[in-house]
Amino acid sequence: MGGNLHFGYFDNPDDELTTATCRLIDKMLEYCSINGKSKILDVGCGIGGPALYIHERYKCHITGISTSRRGVDLANNASRQKGFDSSVNFIVADGQKNGLPDKSYDVVWVMESSHMMNKEELFNECFRVLKKGGTMVLCDILLRQPLSFFQEVYLFFKNARDLVASYKTWGLKAVNSTGFYCNGLIKAGFKEIQVLDVSKNAIHTMRHWEKNALSHLGKNIEGPSFGEKDISRFITACRATERFFNEGYLGYTIIKAVKE
Ligand code: SAH
């Protein structure tokens, strides 16, 4: 997947993956105004790619949180290697109950991690820790339309194998519709909600990840318990996700909301 554990924003399908994943960060940055004095909270920080990129550009204060100890350790190591000081730090914390102080951040950044969380808890926490006038910006895989219970059952049986591979690969806990997100944000107290559907630019990510994965088949992979079976499942998940996008079920969305 490269250093960024999120989709790319492709102007052309053949753009370099790293160029596209950085461009998605840039697209989100267009929704918030950050300067050297800004305090940012990155919820679901992965291995630190976006936070380090943002700090490099603005020299702002940024804290990344994740429930993965390994991710947090890798992010802190990467930050040290770049020679960054303690204005960039990564800690283990849950975005649904983060334990951070009220009204202390200018921007809360939620990049492709919301699908792993309960939205009500996540949005309440984002709202609580934001300063007045602060911005939350989020991107993720969303359902393009809500599904009825019967549609869900039908789709589950029709796509069982692909869905299981996708759940196991992406850790899809709660993929919800754009409307569900907007309602949740309003309920949490947010205003000025803006939504940008970037599905057409994001979908090419699947081809790039699949190509990367194929290039690793048959090689010895470093790291704990990650073998041929996992790579095959990853490829199945990439193909399935691309199909779900093309069939109009899934999309990729950027959402901005303000705490007035
Ligand atoms: N934002 C990063 C990583 C996205 S992958 C990037 O764009 O590169 C999703 C991340 O969310 C992972 O780091 C995962 O550990 C984290 N995560 C999952 N559930 C979480 C939770 N409840 N609270 C905080 N982080 C969580």
Side-chain angles (χ1 to χ4, degrees), residues 42 73 79 97 120 123 140 148 151 178 188 211 234 251 259:
D42 179 0
D73 288 346
S79 178
K97 200 173 189 320
E120 192 176 342
F123 295 158
D140 218 331
S148 70
Q151 275 174 310
T178 314
K211 209 172 88 200
F234 182 88
K259 176 174 178 175

Side-chain angles (χ1 to χ4, degrees), residues 4-6 44-46 50 65-68 93-96 111-113 116-117:
N4 282 316
L5 306 184
H6 58 249
C45 60
I65 62 170
S66 166
T67 42
S68 161
D94 188 333
Q96 302 158 119
M111 190 159 205
E112 221 170 293
S113 58
M116 294 170 158
M117 291 181 242

